Amino acid sequence: MTGFPVSNDELQARPQLYADGSEVVHYRYPTDFLYVDEARLSDFPQNQALCHWHVDLEFTRMLEGHMDYFIDGKVVRVNEGETIFVNSKRLHYGFSADNTDSKFYCILFNPIEVNAPDEITKRFILPIMKSAAMPYLVLHDEGGAKDPIIKLLDTLHRQSNKPTLPLTGLGTFFNIARILYERMKALDEKGTTPAIPENGQIGALRKMTSYIRRHYSENLTLPAIAASGSVGRSTCDNIFRKFLAQSPIQYTIGVRIGAATNLLRNTELSITQIGRRVGFPSPSYFAATFRELMGCTPKEYRAKNTKAI
C-alpha cells in the first residue's frame, strides 16, 4: 500500500476486484443491485469478452446474431432471440467461435444488495446462488411464446432510462428469483441438470485470471502467473489454451487493451499516457497491438467512441 493518492483516471484504468478475485460490477444507475447495458461483441478485443466471475446473477439476451458462451469449462451457443442465465460465481465469458459480430443486452442483479428479508434470502435466494443443478440456463422463445423470464428482462431493458428503473428492477428481480427457484427444484426432482462437474483446472484458471486482472499494468511473467494458480509454467500455458484458446500472455494483452478502450472512451489522458498506464513499454507497441486487436488505431477508436467528459 502506498501513501500516494489515486486519481480518478487511475481508477478508470483498472478492472476492480474484490479480495476473493471476483469482479466488481460498476452499476450505471443509482442503485447497488442492478446493471443494464447494451453492446456489440465487436466492442471487445477480437470479439471476445474477458474471462471473469462475480457474485451477480447475469442474463445476456441476444438481439442480433449469435454468441458462444464459456461457463466453467463448458461452451454453449446462444442464438438470436435466446437468453443465457449464468449463475453466481461461475467463471464465464462470451466470444465468437466464427469471428462474427453480434448485438446483445446484459442485465445483472446483485442478489445480496437487493436487501431482501433474511428469511427470504436464506430460504430462496442463497439456494439459487449455490445450486449445482443450475450453473446456467439457456432460455428460448418457443412457438411464438416468450419464456416468462425473457418477458421480464425485455420490459426492464425497455425501461432502462426511466427514473423509476430501481423500482421496476426490484420487482423484476423477485419475480425472476421465484421462477429460478421453481426451475431449480424441478431440475433437482428430475435429476436431469446441466450441472458442470468440479474441475481443479478451473479453480487454477480462476486464480490466474484474477491475478492478471490485478497486475496487468506490471511486467507480468509466465512464472508469476503460474505461481498464482499453484501450477507449473507448462500446466499454466496448457490450461489457458485449453479453456480460453489463448496463451496467458495473450490473455494479459487482452486485459490491457480492454482497459485502454475504457480510458480512451472515458478520460482525457493522452494515448501515450494510456499505453504506459495499461502496461505497454512503448507507444509504438501499444498502437500496433491495439490496431491488431481492435481493427483501428487508438486515435480512431477514441474519435468514434468518446463520451462527453
Side-chain angles (χ1 to χ4, degrees):
M1 181 175 179
T2 69
F4 296 104
V6 179
S7 68
N8 288 333
D9 283 344
E10 188 170 354
L11 287 174
Q12 286 274 13
R14 304 180 181 183
Q16 295 182 37
L17 305 177
Y18 290 110
D20 62 2
S22 61
E23 184 175 33
V24 178
V25 176
H26 298 286
Y27 296 94
R28 294 177 57 193
Y29 301 102
T31 165
D32 291 331
F33 70 90
L34 174 66
Y35 175 92
V36 184
D37 199 11
E38 189 173 300
R40 302 194 71 91
L41 198 55
S42 57
D43 294 336
F44 300 89
Q46 296 184 314
N47 288 336
Q48 179 173 308
L50 291 171
C51 188
H52 63 287
W53 64 284
H54 42 64
V55 69
D56 311 75
L57 307 182
E58 180 172 315
F59 298 85
T60 300
R61 171 89 156 126
M62 297 307 303
L63 303 174
E64 297 174 8
H66 59 263
M67 185 188 300
D68 300 287
Y69 232 87
F70 170 103
I71 311 102
D72 278 354
K74 185 169 184 177
V75 175
V76 297
R77 170 66 59 88
V78 188
N79 295 306
E80 185 171 321
E82 295 180 335
T83 300
I84 186 166
F85 159 64
V86 178
N87 210 339
S88 178
K89 296 186 178 181
R90 296 289 177 172
L91 197 65
H92 64 280
Y93 69 98
F95 66 101
S96 173
D98 55 10
N99 201 33
T100 57
D101 198 8
S102 58
K103 183 179 180 181
F104 57 92
Y105 72 68
C106 190
I107 295 179
L108 283 78
F109 297 99
N110 187 313
I112 304 302
E113 295 297 335
V114 296
N115 290 318
D118 288 348
E119 182 62 24
I120 297 297
T121 300
K122 292 177 183 177
R123 185 176 176 184
F124 299 106
I125 297 176
L126 289 179
I128 293 171
M129 296 171 64
K130 297 177 180 179
S131 174
M134 200 165 60
Y136 72 93
L137 293 173
V138 178
L139 312 175
H140 310 270
D141 295 342
E142 294 185 3
K146 285 185 179 179
D147 184 288
I149 292 179
I150 294 178
K151 287 183 179 180
L152 290 165
L153 295 171
D154 282 349
T155 299
L156 191 60
H157 178 242
R158 287 193 300 269
Q159 299 184 15
S160 61
N161 290 319
K162 292 189 176 182
T164 54
L165 178 69
L167 292 175
T168 306
L170 273 176
T172 300
F173 170 78
F174 286 113
N175 273 308
I176 288 177
R178 173 184 55 80
I179 297 170
L180 288 177
Y181 182 81
E182 291 170 351
R183 292 185 183 180
M184 177 190 71
K185 299 299 288 184
L187 287 170
D188 287 340
E189 290 173 5
K190 291 178 180 178
T192 55
T193 79
I196 300 171
E198 290 297 321
N199 187 322
Q201 291 186 335
I202 291 295
L205 180 62
R206 188 190 303 264
K207 292 176 183 177
M208 292 187 289
T209 54
S210 295
Y211 176 81
I212 290 171
R213 289 164 70 84
R214 286 183 186 279
H215 299 281
Y216 69 88
S217 62
E218 303 168 15
N219 182 26
L220 287 180
T221 64
L222 182 59
I225 295 170
S228 71
S230 301
V231 296
R233 286 179 291 180
S234 62
T235 300
C236 167
D237 189 69
N238 289 337
I239 288 173
F240 271 84
R241 293 184 186 279
K242 175 181 178 181
F243 293 111
L244 304 186
Q246 57 185 175
S247 71
I249 301 306
Q250 287 172 321
Y251 178 85
T252 302
I253 290 172
V255 173
R256 288 171 174 166
I257 294 298
T261 61
N262 185 40
L263 289 173
L264 288 165
R265 289 193 308 268
N266 298 295
T267 77
E268 293 180 315
L269 291 171
S270 72
I271 291 173
T272 298
Q273 287 174 313
I274 289 173
R276 186 183 308 118
R277 184 155 293 185
V278 300
F280 287 93
S282 72
S284 60
Y285 180 40
F286 170 53
T289 304
F290 192 97
R291 187 183 187 94
E292 180 182 354
L293 269 64
M294 299 302 297
C296 62
T297 67
K299 184 178 180 180
E300 291 168 342
Y301 181 89
R302 171 172 268 173
K304 290 186 291 186
N305 295 279
T306 298
K307 299 178 181 177
I309 299 175

